[in-house]
Structure formats: C-alpha cells, structure tokens
Amino acid sequence: MASRMLWASRAASHLRISVFHRGFSTVLKDLHYAESHEWVKVDGKSATVGITDHAQDHLGDVVYVELPDVGAEVKQGEGFGAVESVKASSEVYSPVSGKVVEVNEELKESPALVNSHPFESGWFIKVEMNDAGELKNLLKPEEYSKLCDEENSSH
Amino acid sequence: MMNIMRFKGLPILQQLHIEEQLLRTSSDNWCIINDGTCDPTIVMGVSGKPAELLEIESVLRDQVPVIRRFTGGGTVIVDCGTIFVTFICNKEAVSDLQPYPRPIMSWSGLLYSKVFQGIGDFHLRENDYVFGNHKFGGNAQSITKSRWIHHTSFLWDFDVRNMSYLKLPKRAPAYRFARGHLDFICRMKDYMPRSTFIDKTVEAASTQFSLRSFELEEIETLSETESNPSTRLLSAEELEADVIAGR
C-alpha cells in the first residue's frame, strides 16, 4: 500500500497533476471517469482512455487486452474491447465518442501494464473526440472516489 | 427468479451461442445444464492461440472441431462425459455480490460446496473445482456492465486419448506443479452419480433463486433479435495459419 502511494505521488508529479490519497485505489485529479471504471484524459480534441486502478485491482492479473482497430468509431457508454484476467473476459466501455486514432500496441506483449501502470503506460486507446460536450456525462474525481468507496463498503 | 434450461447432448457450439445471446440480450437470470455434448470438441478461451495450446497436426489429422468461446480462461476438450453448468445473472441478482471475477468465483465455490458436502474433499482451489488437488471442474466468465456469466465444464468422465490433443498450457495454476493432464485431473464419476450431481446442483440453485423451467423453443424468439455471436468454430486454414505465424 505504501509503495502504491509512493508510485502514485511520483506519477502525479511527472504528469503534473494532483492526486487523492485514499486508503484503497488511486484516483487521479484532472481526469474524467465513467461509472464503468474507465478514465479519460483530455487534451483539446484528443482523449486517452484506460481503466482505473480500482478496476485493475478488482479484475486481477490481466493476461490479454482486446482493442479495436485504428479508425474504428467508438460511442460513449458502448463497449470497445475487453480485458481478460485469468478466467474472466470483462468488457470495457468508451467514456467518449469519436474515432480511434491510436491503440496501445505495448499491451499485446505486456498486458500486465494495465495492473502496474493503469493511468500511464497501461492506457488502451486514443480517440479524436467528436463531441467534447459529452464529458459532462462523466464523473469528477471526487464523485468517482465516492463511487469506489460505496462499492468497497457494500461487501 | 432464475430460468432453468436442461439439455442432454446439445452440441457445445449451440450451447455457447445460446449463452452468449442470453448474456447480451436477455434481462433474466438463467441456469443452463447440458448433460454431455455429442462429439469430442476442443474449446479455447477468448484469447487462446491454437499453436500454443493444441497439437495442431493431430487435431487436423483427426478433424477434431476447435471452438473459440467468448469467455476467458483455458482450453478444454469436451465430449459426452462432460457436464456443463452455466449461470447467467444480472449484477444485482445475488445480493452483496460484486460483479468481478473473484467474488463471482467465490460465490460459485460456495454453491458447489453444498452440492459436494462431505464428498471427496471438495473445494475451490485458485479458480478450479478440485477433490484434494485433482481438478474436475474448470471455470470461465464474461462480465459486462450489467450482467455476468459463470460457466463450468465438469469432467464426469473423459477419454484419456483426447488429452493428447492438448499441450501443457504456459499459464497454469500454481497447485498444478507442472503435472501432466492425467496426473492433474480426476473423474467426478468416482465420487457421485451423474443424475445425483445434476439434481443436487438444481437443489443448490433453488436455495438462492426461485426456479422456472424453460424449453429451448420458448427462447428461440431471441434469435429474431440481431445476434452476432463471437463464439465460433475455427477453420482448418486458420489453425494452419496460426502454426505458420508462430514459426
């Protein structure tokens, strides 16, 4: 847990963003979040998408990531791929709509990056957004933290 | 409420198509039991690579069908000695159950502990059902935003010759200790009659859900809904191409 906090602080410092320190999963500020546990980092019309620390922790060791082709269209709230962790294939949902302009090829050889660096090198796709207004449908960091707390306390 | 459908000898490809469709298009909870499948068939998980997992030459020579299914997990060879049990649930179906792999796996282990109470040192070990340290049931799951499926192939009996089509997997549970197939698995028939297992499984499910029997014809209207299952039979050309790609 302490090493995870240290990693989060270093990652945050590198990305020049601030971070919530929580007892459970890491939640980074300056990102938007979906209720289905994906994050999105927006830079103009470009959006980078991955799954959160909470998600990777609950899924277990990731052994395979299924990604769309470059050029594919994605829609907010709709599935664009899947993460396989040992026995389970879990669908992942796009937090934004637009065209996939890049996929993380590193995940083919190193799917465990999703576990070790979910907000950095474990990213899934980059999307050229066609409607930035959709971001208002996503959760702010503090709202997402609350969702994770509620999930963690419900069992 | 849970709908229950029972089959005997339904082809495994058809079973998997039904399951994938129910997961994606139904809003009900389902239990599917298929008592054996007709022809020996290899079933790989969603990311399975044939060249890594199968003895392709003998698979092609003997024309053993190879299916890639929509759920995660490993490779099995199934036949009339395999009993399949599947649960497809909405995420709220089991109270306080988080829709993630490990909680679902634990829930299933508790359910089957009622089935095998007092029999053969049953437990869930890593992600397998075992008697002692011998596996007799393999699991796989698929999880969506609002639903999940957990399905199991139980080795009530198996043909030793069929195991020769499977390579030793690179990813294996720690408790396997690099044992070959025949030292790792065991037959459920040495512990429980076939019909007793099925009856006790239905009974265990009925302690958590009200069960309503369904026939296949009643759900065939589902096929009117657009269905594009990802589970499919791999062609001989695809199997050969995978071998060449791996060289």
Side-chain angles (χ1 to χ4, degrees):
Chain A
M1 189 65 72
S3 62
R4 176 180 273 177
M5 301 284 232
L6 185 59
W7 163 80
S9 296
R10 284 183 179 157
S13 176
H14 173 71
L15 293 167
R16 295 198 188 130
I17 51 180
S18 48
V19 61
F20 281 118
H21 285 292
R22 301 176 62 250
F24 302 103
S25 313
T26 300
V27 178
L28 299 187
K29 283 190 175 182
D30 304 330
L31 301 182
H32 298 82
Y33 294 88
E35 286 185 9
S36 46
H37 301 290
E38 292 84 11
W39 59 264
V40 57
K41 183 171 194 282
V42 175
D43 183 6
K45 287 185 86 173
S46 173
T48 306
V49 174
I51 66 168
T52 65
D53 186 37
H54 176 96
Q56 70 76 22
D57 186 46
H58 281 76
L59 290 178
D61 293 339
V62 175
V63 298
Y64 177 75
V65 182
E66 186 186 310
L67 295 174
D69 292 328
V70 170
E73 293 289 330
V74 292
K75 272 190 81 174
Q76 187 179 62
E78 291 192 4
F80 72 85
V83 171
E84 188 182 356
S85 51
V86 191
K87 297 291 184 180
S89 175
S90 301
E91 211 158 322
V92 288
Y93 299 87
S94 184
V96 294
S97 302
K99 188 164 77 170
V100 177
V101 295
E102 194 178 344
V103 301
N104 188 352
E105 299 283 352
E106 268 201 88
L107 294 182
K108 275 185 198 156
E109 294 302 317
S110 307
L113 287 172
V114 176
N115 297 117
S116 59
H117 297 83
F119 296 110
E120 286 185 300
S121 51
W123 64 275
F124 282 27
I125 58 174
K126 292 191 183 186
V127 177
E128 187 180 280
M129 293 191 294
N130 56 27
D131 183 2
E134 279 183 336
L135 294 173
K136 68 178 186 309
N137 301 328
L138 301 176
L139 301 175
K140 299 186 179 67
E142 56 273 16
E143 291 170 327
Y144 180 66
S145 288
K146 192 172 168 218
L147 174 70
C148 293
D149 285 344
E150 283 166 2
E151 272 199 16
N152 287 335
S153 62
S154 70
H155 72 288
Chain B
M1 175 69 71
M2 179 172 276
N3 301 324
I4 178 163
M5 280 201 294
R6 295 173 67 155
F7 302 102
K8 189 164 177 62
L10 185 72
I12 185 59
L13 183 62
Q14 190 177 356
Q15 176 191 329
L16 290 167
H17 280 166
I18 291 167
E19 290 180 0
E20 194 171 351
Q21 190 166 15
L22 289 176
L23 174 70
R24 299 199 192 289
T25 65
S26 169
S27 53
D28 289 348
N29 302 311
W30 296 86
C31 174
I32 295 165
I33 299 176
N34 185 16
D35 187 4
T37 191
C38 38
D39 297 316
T41 305
I42 292 167
V43 186
M44 295 191 307
V46 66
S47 65
K49 294 184 175 70
E52 284 181 13
L53 297 164
L54 311 178
E55 299 291 354
I56 300 279
E57 213 176 285
S58 33
V59 167
L60 289 170
R61 178 196 66 214
D62 298 341
Q63 296 182 303
V64 183
V66 179
I67 291 171
R68 180 178 281 126
R69 65 179 187 265
F70 66 105
T71 51
T75 307
V76 291
I77 179 157
V78 299
D79 59 20
C80 56
T82 313
I83 304 175
F84 303 91
V85 181
T86 299
F87 292 98
I88 302 171
C89 289
N90 292 311
K91 68 177 185 182
E92 311 86 12
V94 180
S95 93
D96 295 330
L97 180 67
Q98 291 261 302
Y100 292 110
R102 284 172 294 212
I104 296 168
M105 192 70 73
S106 296
W107 169 83
S108 78
L110 289 174
L111 185 138
Y112 286 109
S113 66
K114 292 179 193 161
V115 176
F116 297 107
Q117 199 160 27
I119 292 173
D121 187 27
F122 165 81
H123 48 279
L124 173 66
R125 187 150 185 190
E126 296 186 46
N127 298 296
D128 299 332
Y129 302 136
V130 300
F131 292 125
N133 70 346
H134 290 93
K135 175 178 176 178
F136 72 96
N139 296 297
Q141 300 168 339
S142 179
I143 302 170
T144 69
K145 209 185 289 192
S146 55
R147 287 166 71 70
W148 53 263
I149 177 171
H150 177 99
H151 58 191
T152 309
S153 56
F154 288 96
L155 292 171
W156 190 77
D157 194 4
F158 59 83
D159 187 336
V160 167
R161 293 169 296 181
N162 286 342
M163 296 302 144
S164 64
Y165 294 117
L166 307 181
K167 289 182 176 173
L168 271 181
K170 280 184 196 169
R171 273 195 325 255
Y175 82 96
R176 183 165 181 159
F177 297 119
R179 287 178 282 166
H181 294 300
L182 300 178
D183 289 328
F184 177 51
I185 56 179
C186 67
R187 294 176 169 85
M188 199 163 70
K189 72 175 192 179
D190 294 335
Y191 295 87
M192 185 179 272
R194 198 160 182 150
S195 55
T196 302
F197 166 69
I198 291 173
D199 291 344
K200 281 181 166 286
T201 298
V202 173
E203 192 185 314
S206 70
T207 64
Q208 297 196 39
F209 301 93
S210 304
L211 300 180
R212 172 174 63 181
S213 279
F214 254 75
E215 301 296 323
L216 182 58
E217 299 74 39
E218 293 177 74
I219 66 156
E220 271 173 350
T221 50
L222 281 178
S223 62
E224 289 162 15
T225 316
E226 195 181 305
S227 165
N228 199 14
S230 61
T231 299
R232 63 188 188 83
L233 199 58
L234 301 185
S235 67
E237 290 73 24
E238 284 175 290
L239 296 176
E240 284 162 352
D242 196 63
V243 174
I244 292 165
R247 287 192 186 137

